[in-house]
Each structure stands twice: as C-alpha cells, then as structure tokens.
Amino acid sequence: MNSERHKEDGPDTIRLLPWTGPEGKPCYVLGDGNGYVSRMADDIEGIQLGMAGDLLGHAAGLLADRKVTGPEIHFLARRLTESLREVKRVAESRGARLARVEAAPAVAHALDE
C-alpha cells in the first residue's frame, strides 16, 4: 500500500464505481483508493472517456453527412446518451474524491487550532 496516498485520502472512503449493478443501481467500493477494484475502476473510466471522445468524432462525421438516415441518427443518439451517462458518472466520482482531498487540509488545520 502506498502510505503517502493513504495519508492524502485519509481513512477508507466510499467511491462511486463506473458501472451499475444488475438493477441499474449505483455500485460503490470502500477503500483507500489503491486496491484492485479501485485500479480496475480507474482503467474502466479511462476506457469510457476514450470511447466518448471517439464517439464525438464519429458523431461529427455522421452529422455532416446530408444522406444520413433517421435510424442512423437514432442509433447515434442512443450511443451518445449511453456515453454521456458514463461520463457523468465518472465526473461525479472524480468530483467527490477531489472534494475530499481538498477538504482534508482544511479539516487538519481546524484540528490543529
């Protein structure tokens, strides 16, 4: 375990994972951010963000084509919706972790006083 990172993150924290459970409910992991599940979540988030970028490029090309059909646009809209949902989840997860890291120095300072 990387003790320097553990000091930054503090005790075990809850992290929103980039996937959902069987019923579409959010999944979480409790840990210091260095475990197997956290590393796998980091990898999946990277893949999701990369795929979102690729999809945006594909969307731009498809929308520039005047001969695109309704079903093609519908398919594109569904993929963009899926991608946006994934990217939103990544942003929420990373934002929550960033807020904890930024709050940690303020809490430590308050405890010193």
Side-chain angles (χ1 to χ4, degrees):
M1 176 169 68
N2 181 339
S3 61
E4 201 56 39
R5 172 147 180 179
H6 187 69
K7 286 179 187 174
E8 274 182 22
D9 290 348
D12 289 346
T13 56
I14 296 174
R15 175 185 178 173
L16 176 65
L17 295 172
W19 56 82
T20 59
E23 297 177 0
K25 294 182 180 177
C27 292
Y28 300 89
V29 65
L30 177 65
D32 65 1
N34 297 312
Y36 175 77
V37 174
S38 292
R39 290 190 312 273
M40 183 171 39
D42 291 340
D43 291 344
I44 290 173
E45 286 178 352
I47 291 167
Q48 289 173 330
L49 293 173
M51 289 175 67
D54 293 345
L55 183 58
L56 284 173
H58 177 69
L62 191 65
L63 293 172
D65 182 358
R66 294 281 184 196
K67 296 180 183 178
V68 67
T69 66
E72 289 173 317
I73 293 290
H74 184 258
F75 182 80
L76 175 64
R78 290 184 59 109
R79 300 298 77 82
L80 287 168
T81 300
E82 291 169 1
S83 182
L84 182 58
R85 187 177 297 115
E86 291 172 351
V87 169
K88 180 179 179 281
R89 179 179 297 279
V90 170
E92 289 171 349
S93 178
R94 292 183 178 185
R97 287 180 281 149
L98 182 60
R100 281 192 300 269
V101 170
E102 289 177 347
V107 171
H109 180 69
L111 293 174
D112 289 341
E113 292 179 348

